[in-house]
Amino acid sequence: MTTEDRTAADSVTGTADWDERVAAVWAGFDRNPDTDAADFRALIDALVAELPADSPSGPFERACAWDSTGHSDKAVPLYREALALGLDGYRGRRAKIQLSSSLRNLGQAEEGVKLLSPELVGVSDELDDAVRATLALCLASLGREREGLSLALGALAPHLPRYQRSMANYARLLVEPDGQSPAQPEK
């Protein structure tokens, strides 16, 4: 670990807010991709040990750490535990996205689709595109590429400097049975 990473690790025992200390450990991990996975997970485990046993944030953070170090199989039960303990709001939505992605990696994409589909009509926030991207991957894994591409294009369209309307229409037409072309493309 670098000196910066040690500073982040040292802050685990400091007086900073718990979420800030978690963010510092993640920032250290993100800065140094060569960080030992076990050391990183140990830092997360130390932070989680500070929480009450029934806190949904604990299993969520542990799931994220396992997932980010290539162990979807160990992450899935922890995401499920966090959600069962009542993880909601922004972290709850992140857990559903990450759980769906991990399920897809483990060959259980259908469960990922079932978990994320309700998120398309739920509360809208900055995670909307991540929901659509992960759902698109799950759909593609199930051989439903047109639906997945439609979601991905629909998520991308608002971010384009031009052609937003055309791309949104093309995304819609990928899954509509009539298959009519949109009016003239934007110039």
Side-chain angles (χ1 to χ4, degrees), residues 106-180:
L106 297 173
Q108 300 170 38
E110 185 65 44
E111 191 175 344
V113 169
K114 288 178 186 171
L115 186 63
L116 280 184
S117 292
E119 293 296 313
L120 292 175
V121 295
V123 174
S124 181
D125 62 20
E126 66 191 42
L127 295 175
D128 289 353
D129 292 343
V131 166
R132 286 176 175 80
T134 305
L135 185 52
L137 288 168
C138 288
L139 289 167
S141 292
L142 294 171
R144 295 164 59 186
E145 292 88 356
R146 288 180 70 87
E147 289 174 75
L149 179 57
S150 175
L151 280 171
L153 281 176
L156 175 64
H159 305 285
L160 298 174
R162 304 262 317 148
Y163 316 111
Q164 296 96 345
R165 184 173 20 95
S166 294
M167 287 302 137
N169 282 331
Y170 292 140
R172 180 182 47 78
L173 291 171
L174 282 168
V175 293
E176 283 188 0
D178 65 7
Q180 295 178 359

Side-chain angles (χ1 to χ4, degrees), residues 38-83:
D39 288 347
F40 167 69
R41 290 190 306 266
L43 292 173
I44 294 296
D45 286 344
L47 285 165
V48 167
E50 297 176 16
L51 297 172
D54 62 348
S55 171
S57 294
F60 172 69
E61 290 299 335
R62 290 183 61 229
C64 294
W66 280 108
D67 221 354
S68 293
T69 57
H71 296 279
S72 293
D73 58 325
K74 297 200 184 285
V76 165
L78 292 166
Y79 287 131
R80 287 187 171 137
E81 179 183 353
L83 291 167

